[in-house]
């Protein structure tokens, strides 16, 4: 028995799942991932492939894969077989079932989810067994993806977020000598149109397993449909496959538009071409509209066409920084030479519509239930925008909420006076004279009322986001002190309020 098996050994008793030493499993997987990073950086691709085989066949890797798919938000969502792994015994059996030999992926269950433009996005849901296999091979593929990724790609990557992408865009565009033109790029159905041939030729993973996932097809209304292109949205490994497909665009732009003049006839001097990408949404800066229109855009189109992708003619546009542009739900624009980042109008409108809908469908709910439902939505939206110039927008959100909640309260007590309704639902809480809050029935040791207040957006402190370093790799041991210090700094300087507990 090797070290990984000894550390994570199971007995033959029924509660085997609870006997796994998860700390040892994570340590063993991290060691293999660090060795994969080292081999990839040194160009020893055969060595990296051998280490990937060790990881995907290790007990620690298989156990962590099952743990991931049975403890995430989709753990109760089944594929076409209707199976979910709830009991410890089922999870233990699942660990032993993750074998390459004889593995045949099953078709995905096709569902549709609404998009922001009122259209529907197809989503393919794999079976639990296929999800666990994807999670297992993702453990071995992600270290390579992080080592070879574009430096300014921030979507679907560990330790990176939309705030990092926005901060990078701010750094590029805020200086006086910054580029004045921006190409807003959007790819048509990125996940659904990626070339299978390109993926099989360029993704460093087991091609037999990958081909099975790509060609498994999907089932809709009891009918099987083949998949000749694309990687299914909803798969555990799909975001990394899409990222690796788009990686290399930044390097292609750097070769075509180097920052320094490479000599006569070589390169474009002072073109100010830079890329910031989040998944399939990206922006490219440029010194002029002509550079972006006639040089950058054709290069991007050629890069994408090799991979079976193309730019959206509707959403791809070139804008001047003084006119502004929307990126990841936020609006970047220069006012008299000063760059401001604010929540975009479309994002604010969609959020207010969501809040109004929540209040409308909870006409008969108690005040505590309504507050808890609103707080979950409010807190997430406010924390997303707290790193930018959002105080004015937060004030507007509170103003709109007050009027909607006032109508909600007056409708419930049409025979009462306005003063009675005000004192019934608004109370002095946390230093504010009037705050929409519910008495949850608990009392402090001093006998004071325990209130469940509505989150106040305007009281959220605006804090500048500390962008992650471009070359930071969470799988590289040399970067661990950096990530440890970053977590400590974030924990002490940026306190995130927790949503109140649901009413009993």
């Amino acid at each position: 028995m090797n070290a990984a098996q000894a550390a994570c050994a199971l007995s033959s008793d029924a509660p085997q799942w609870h006997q796994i030493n998860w700390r040892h499993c994570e340590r063993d997987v991290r060691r293999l991932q660090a060795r994969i990073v080292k081999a990839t950086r040194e160009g020893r691709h055969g060595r990296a492939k051998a280490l990937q085989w060790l990881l995907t066949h290790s007990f620690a890797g298989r156990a962590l894969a099952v743990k991931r798919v049975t403890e995430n938000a989709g753990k109760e969502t089944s594929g076409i077989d209707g199976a979910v792994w709830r009991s410890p015994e089922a999870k233990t059996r699942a660990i032993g079932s993750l074998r390459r030999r004889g593995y045949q992926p099953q078709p995905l269950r096709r569902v549709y989810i609404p998009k922001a433009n009122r259209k529907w996005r197809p989503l393919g849901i794999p079976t639990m067994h296929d999800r666990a296999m994807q999670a297992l091979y993702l453990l071995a593929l992600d270290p390579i993806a992080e080592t070879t990724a574009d430096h300014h790609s921030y979507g679907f990557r560990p330790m990176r977020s939309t705030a990092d992408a926005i901060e990078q865009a701010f750094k590029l565009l805020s200086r006086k000598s910054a580029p004045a033109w921006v190409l807003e790029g959007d790819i048509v159905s990125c996940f659904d149109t990626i070339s299978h041939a390109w993926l099989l030729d360029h993704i460093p993973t087991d091609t037999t397993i990958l081909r099975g996932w790509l060609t498994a097809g999907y089932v809709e209304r009891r009918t099987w449909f083949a998949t000749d292109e694309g990687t299914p949205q909803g798969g555990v490994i799909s975001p990394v496959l899409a990222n690796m497909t788009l990686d290399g665009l930044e390097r292609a732009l750097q070769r075509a538009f180097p920052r320094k003049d490479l000599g006569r006839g070589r390169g474009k001097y002072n073109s100010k071409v830079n890329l910031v990408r989040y998944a399939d949404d990206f922006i490219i800066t440029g010194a002029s509209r002509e550079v972006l229109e006639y040089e950058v855009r054709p290069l991007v189109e050629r890069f994408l066409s090799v991979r079976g992708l193309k730019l959206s003619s509707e959403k791809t546009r070139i804008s001047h920084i003084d006119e502004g542009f929307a990126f990841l739900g936020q609006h970047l624009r220069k006012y008299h030479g000063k760059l401001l980042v604010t929540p975009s109008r479309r994002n604010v409108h969609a959020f207010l519509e969501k809040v109004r809908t929540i209040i409308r469908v909870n006409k008969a709910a108690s005040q505590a239930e309504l507050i808890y439902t609103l707080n979950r939505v409010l807190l997430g939206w406010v924390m997303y925008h707290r790193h930018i110039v959002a105080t004015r927008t937060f004030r507007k959100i509170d103003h709109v909420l007050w009027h909607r909640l006032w109508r909600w309260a007056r409708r419930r007590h049409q025979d009462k006076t306005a003063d009675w309704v005000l004192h019934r639902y608004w109370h002095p809480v946390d230093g504010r004279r009037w705050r929409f809050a519910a008495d949850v029935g608990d009392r402090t040791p001093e006998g004071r009322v325990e209130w469940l207040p509505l989150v106040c957006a305007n009281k959220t402190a605006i804090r500048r986001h500390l962008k992650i370093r471009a070359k930071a790799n969470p799988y590289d041991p040399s970067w661990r002190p950096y990530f440890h210090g970053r977590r400590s700094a974030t924990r002490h300087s940026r306190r995130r309020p927790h949503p109140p507990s649901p009413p009993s």
Side-chain angles (χ1 to χ4, degrees), residues 191-351:
F191 282 84
D192 299 329
T193 56
I194 299 176
S195 168
H196 284 182
W198 191 94
L199 288 172
L200 293 171
D201 289 339
H202 295 86
I203 300 300
T205 191
D206 191 315
T207 55
T208 302
I209 300 293
L210 179 59
R211 184 181 290 106
W213 291 332
L214 296 176
T215 60
Y218 64 91
V219 173
E220 183 176 6
R221 297 180 181 177
R222 299 184 179 182
T223 304
W224 179 83
F225 296 89
T227 49
D228 300 323
E229 58 183 9
T231 178
Q233 296 190 57
V236 176
I237 204 171
S238 295
V240 175
L241 295 180
N243 257 342
M244 296 187 76
T245 302
L246 298 175
D247 283 335
L249 179 57
E250 183 176 5
R251 292 187 287 273
L253 290 170
Q254 289 173 352
R255 287 193 299 268
F257 305 92
R259 294 184 179 180
K260 295 182 180 179
D261 189 7
L262 298 180
R264 185 177 180 181
R266 300 175 61 193
K268 313 295 187 298
Y269 182 71
N270 201 26
S271 55
K272 300 180 181 179
V273 174
N274 300 280
L275 170 73
V276 181
R277 180 169 65 84
Y278 189 91
D280 58 339
D281 293 327
F282 61 88
I283 61 171
I284 302 176
T285 64
S288 65
R289 173 184 284 273
E290 290 73 23
V291 169
L292 294 177
E293 181 70 34
Y294 301 112
E295 299 182 39
V296 172
R297 182 164 182 167
L299 185 151
V300 174
E301 290 175 343
R302 290 194 301 270
F303 178 89
L304 295 177
S305 64
V306 176
R307 293 153 174 78
L309 304 172
K310 63 178 180 179
L311 288 176
S312 169
S313 57
E314 299 177 358
K315 299 181 180 179
T316 301
R317 59 179 63 91
I318 298 175
S319 307
H320 194 276
I321 191 61
D322 291 342
E323 300 172 356
F325 64 95
F327 184 48
L328 302 177
Q330 297 176 351
H331 192 261
L332 295 86
R333 181 181 176 184
K334 270 190 176 180
Y335 298 86
H336 305 291
K338 183 177 179 61
L339 181 67
L340 296 182
V341 185
T342 58
S344 68
R345 290 185 178 180
R346 179 177 295 183
N347 185 273
V348 174
H349 176 74
F351 173 72

Side-chain angles (χ1 to χ4, degrees), residues 66 97 101 138 159 177 260 320 403 424 438 441 456 461 489:
V66 173
S97 69
R101 179 176 295 180
L138 178 60
M159 312 302 292
S177 59
K260 295 182 180 179
H320 194 276
H403 282 279
R424 169 68 176 78
C456 183

Side-chain angles (χ1 to χ4, degrees), residues 161-180:
S161 65
T162 54
D164 292 305
I166 293 294
E167 185 65 21
Q168 176 63 19
F170 180 85
K171 288 185 175 182
L172 291 174
L173 299 168
S174 60
R175 300 187 304 271
K176 290 184 179 179
S177 59

Side-chain angles (χ1 to χ4, degrees), residues 472-489:
N473 187 341
Y475 297 108
D476 189 344
S478 63
W479 282 98
R480 285 176 187 169
Y482 166 75
F483 283 108
H484 178 74
R486 181 178 171 83
R487 283 192 295 266
S488 299

